[in-house]
Each structure stands twice: as C-alpha cells, then as structure tokens.
Amino acid sequence: MTGMIDPFGRSVDYLRVSVTDRCDFRCVYCMAEDMTFLPKKDLLTLEELERLCAVFVSKGVRKLRLTGGEPLVRRGVMELVRNLGKLIDGGQLDELTLTTNGSQLARFSEDLYAAGVRRINVSLDTLNEEEFARITRWGRLPQVLSGIEAAKKAGLAVKINAVALKGVNEHEIPSMMEWAHGEGFDFTLIETMPLGEVDEDRTDQYLPLSRVREQLEQTYSLADIPFKTGGPARYVKIAETGGRLGFITPMTHNFCESCNRVRLTCTGTLFMCLGQEDAADLRAPLRSSESDDLVSAAIDEAIGRKPKGHDFVIGRNQAPAVGRHMSTTGG
Ligand code: SAM
Ligand code: SF4
C-alpha cells in the first residue's frame, strides 16, 4: 500500500494546517480574552509552510485544510493558497479547503475561488447580533454575514459550523438550520471540547448533541445518510428543509476509529491527535537540510506513533484534556 498508514491501519491522507495562532475574534469557548500569542520568530514562514505541505502531499496527503487562529488574518496568506492550489491543477491534491470565522471573506472570496478553493467552512454560532458579539467578544455579525454572502456569490460551497452551547444558542439551532438550508448551505453542529484554559467553565458550555438530536426529532424528520466530506461529521437529511445537518460528536460518540488526519501548527509541530499531547517537531529537520529527506523521515516516525484516540472528559474542576487551545492546532 502507498501513502502513510498508521499503526492501526488507518490511512492518513488529510492534513490540517494552522497557518497562524492569531485571530481577530476571542470566542469564549476557544480563547481567553487576554491571550499570549507566539513570538513571530517561532513561526514558519509561508514558504516553509508550503514546503512542508508539499512534502505531505508527496507522501500521500490528498486533502489540505487551512485553519488557525484565523487563517485569513495572516499577512500574505493568499500567496500560500495560490501555490497550494497549483497542486490541484497538477493532480497531486484533490482538495484545498479553509475553516474561517468569515470576517475577511468579503475581501478574499473571489481570490480563494480563483486559487482553486471550492468549499469553505464558516464558523457561526448565532444569528443574533448581541449574542454574536458576546460569544466572539470582538466579532460583529454583519461583517460575517456579508462575508458569507460574498463567498456564495464567488461560487464557494459554504458549510456553516456552529458549536452547540448550552443555554446560549441551544434554542436557536432550528432557526439557524432553517436559515442555512434556505441559503443552500450544509449546517454542522459541534460539541465543545476541553482544549486549553478559557475564562468560562466548560461544564456550563457543554451541550451533548444526542440531546439536540432528540429535540429536533420532535419537529423534523431526520434520516441518516452516508454523506461524507472527509471530516468526522455524521450527516442526516432533514425532510422539511431538504438540507443536510451534520453532527460532530467528539464527546458523545467517539469518532477516532475512522481518523484519517494529522495537524500541523504554524511553528511546524505535528500533532497526530487533536486530543493528545504527543507531537513531533518538523521545524528542525526542515531547517537543517535543503533536501526533504530528514523531514520526510520525521513524518514517518510521527505517523508511526499516531495514537488510537483521545479521551476527552468534561467535568467540574476537570483540567483541560490538553493545555493548548483549539487556535493552536485549528479545528
Ligand atoms: N478561526 C477559524 C474559525 O473560527 O473557523 C478557524 C479556527 S477555529 C479554532 C476552528 C473551529 O474550532 C471553529 O469552528 C470553532 O468554533 C471550533 N472550536 C474552537 N474551540 C473549540 C472547542 N473548545 N471545542 C469545540 N470546537 C471549538
Ligand atoms: Fe478565533 Fe476561530 Fe477561535 Fe473564534 S474559534 S477565537 S474565530 S480561532
């Protein structure tokens, strides 16, 4: 078999790249308001990130997702997107996608499409302006909605991702779903994961999606469908709207058995699992040789240690499963 195969026989063909740990929002479940970001000197340059991505592609990665922090706030990021998009033209890569908070989409949507991006995930937890400002602390809803509109106009398929938050957007889930489906967007719900210290108590935020599903079933007809986008979401079709609803349930339903991905940070650290501390440094082998042999060997060694899965637990006085924030490894 070609490509990268981990010790549990899973083929790793999906790389998520966090191009920056910085962000123009401060979502309550993701970051503390007062965050310390990485010093610039620790970051890989965009050229180095591109080189690393190319090595992964040469080793069997077929799908790349850029994330962050907010990927579109890194200066010069479109150059990276354009260069990676060329790998699609060359047939080495199947898909280049992006996870974004939408704040910069009005500016970048057309360029993204021109570079070969066809699908994007936009994170949006509420359609209520005040609630949006409260959740994101620094974000403004109209800016994101016009960004989403620009993406649609540019021809990008949009998936809306919402983190389900108990007592916050719980009551809004049906209306958000109807809005998304009305716009022709897929809609996916995510359970909060215990990643990094935030200012709020995670037990207060956590809403199991099994409960959301039960509530939706009182109003809508949900039919399980085998639809897959390469990520961990399980989809249902909603008869009443004709749209797709995805559930990402790291807490209530362990999705590790089909895990096909690894995550690279903007400092060149490779995490083999979102929920484990173990990581491999790729920056040193990348910088120590012009040839890609060292970094390629470091990747092989890391894939050989990809763990079977995570063991997230959310409870009172429970420390986060891992100390780093989601903005370090990306969603
Ligand atoms: N800034 C971009 C955005 O918000 O889409 C990309 C990075 S963000 C870290 C990626 C995704 O992770 C977002 O959908 C966000 O809602 C989600 N996320 C952040 N912290 C999370 C947590 N503790 N549990 C579950 N999802 C989280
Ligand atoms: Fe920024 Fe995305 Fe984290 Fe919100 S979820 S703070 S937009 S990185």
Side-chain angles (χ1 to χ4, degrees):
M1 207 177 323
T2 55
M4 296 180 286
I5 310 291
D6 82 358
F8 303 94
R10 296 170 298 192
S11 166
V12 178
D13 59 4
Y14 183 179
L15 177 68
R16 295 194 173 202
V17 186
S18 175
V19 299
T20 175
D21 63 329
R22 288 164 198 250
C23 188
D24 51 347
F25 291 2
R26 289 288 180 279
C27 302
V28 292
Y29 48 78
C30 179
M31 294 192 184
E33 182 148 29
D34 179 21
M35 291 285 289
T36 311
F37 293 108
L38 294 163
K40 287 233 165 66
K41 66 171 178 35
D42 287 352
L43 298 189
L44 294 184
T45 64
L46 290 169
E47 292 74 22
E48 286 173 325
L49 274 173
E50 183 186 332
R51 185 177 151 206
L52 264 182
C53 288
V55 175
F56 274 98
V57 168
S58 75
K59 297 179 75 64
V61 160
R62 301 293 310 177
K63 181 170 166 179
L64 275 176
R65 176 177 295 277
L66 303 184
T67 173
E70 174 47 41
L72 295 178
V73 301
R74 177 142 185 195
R75 193 171 308 148
V77 72
M78 280 313 301
E79 183 67 17
L80 175 69
V81 177
R82 271 191 290 275
N83 291 342
L84 294 175
K86 289 180 191 150
L87 298 171
I88 305 178
D89 301 337
Q92 298 110 297
L93 189 66
D94 293 333
E95 195 175 35
L96 175 62
T97 56
L98 193 83
T99 300
T100 173
N101 64 23
S103 69
Q104 310 299 315
L105 281 176
R107 193 166 138 213
F108 287 125
S109 287
E110 285 183 7
D111 291 347
L112 288 169
Y113 191 90
V117 175
R118 291 293 174 268
R119 295 193 306 133
I120 57 170
N121 289 356
V122 182
S123 306
L124 177 67
D125 303 324
T126 175
L127 287 170
N128 175 298
E129 261 191 78
E130 279 132 51
E131 196 59 61
F132 185 88
R134 203 194 68 75
I135 295 174
T136 61
R137 292 194 185 104
W138 295 3
R140 297 297 169 257
L141 182 64
Q143 184 186 0
V144 170
L145 291 181
S146 52
I148 292 173
E149 206 44 49
K152 186 176 167 182
K153 207 162 142 231
L156 295 166
V158 174
K159 178 158 80 82
I160 303 292
N161 282 344
V163 174
L165 299 163
K166 186 161 72 185
V168 176
N169 61 2
E170 193 174 354
H171 61 286
E172 233 196 296
I173 289 172
S175 56
M176 284 196 77
M177 178 182 81
E178 298 225 5
W179 165 79
H181 289 172
E183 293 282 331
F185 306 150
D186 286 342
F187 183 58
T188 293
L189 293 165
I190 309 173
E191 284 172 336
T192 50
M193 290 172 262
L195 302 175
E197 292 287 354
V198 290
D199 302 329
E200 301 189 6
D201 187 333
R202 295 209 184 266
T203 326
D204 295 335
Q205 301 175 335
Y206 175 56
L207 172 63
L209 290 183
S210 47
R211 186 164 119 193
V212 174
R213 187 175 172 144
E214 274 166 27
Q215 282 166 357
L216 286 171
E217 275 167 343
Q218 293 175 11
T219 315
Y220 301 95
S221 319
L222 280 62
D224 289 304
I225 51 172
F227 178 71
K228 279 269 157 213
T229 58
R234 286 155 201 261
Y235 284 89
V236 297
K237 180 133 186 175
I238 306 287
E240 290 76 7
T241 62
R244 281 188 293 249
L245 171 68
F247 294 98
I248 300 186
T249 54
M251 306 303 298
T252 51
H253 184 115
N254 207 304
F255 51 37
C256 304
E257 69 275 10
S258 58
C259 183
N260 59 347
R261 71 209 75 114
V262 286
R263 294 173 155 86
L264 182 67
T265 72
C266 54
T267 55
T269 304
L270 186 71
F271 285 96
M272 287 71 84
C273 173
L274 182 62
Q276 302 280 358
E277 298 283 5
D278 189 29
D281 172 42
L282 302 182
R283 185 176 56 186
L286 185 82
R287 287 186 175 166
S288 59
S289 162
E290 277 184 19
S291 135
D292 292 332
D293 294 351
L294 288 181
V295 76
S296 177
I299 293 170
D300 287 338
E301 199 267 331
I303 299 293
R305 302 192 259 127
K306 185 168 159 61
K308 193 161 181 207
H310 66 69
D311 24 50
F312 290 141
V313 185
I314 287 184
R316 295 238 175 250
N317 307 319
Q318 182 94 31
V322 292
R324 62 182 190 276
H325 291 88
M326 189 74 152
S327 49
T328 308
T329 28

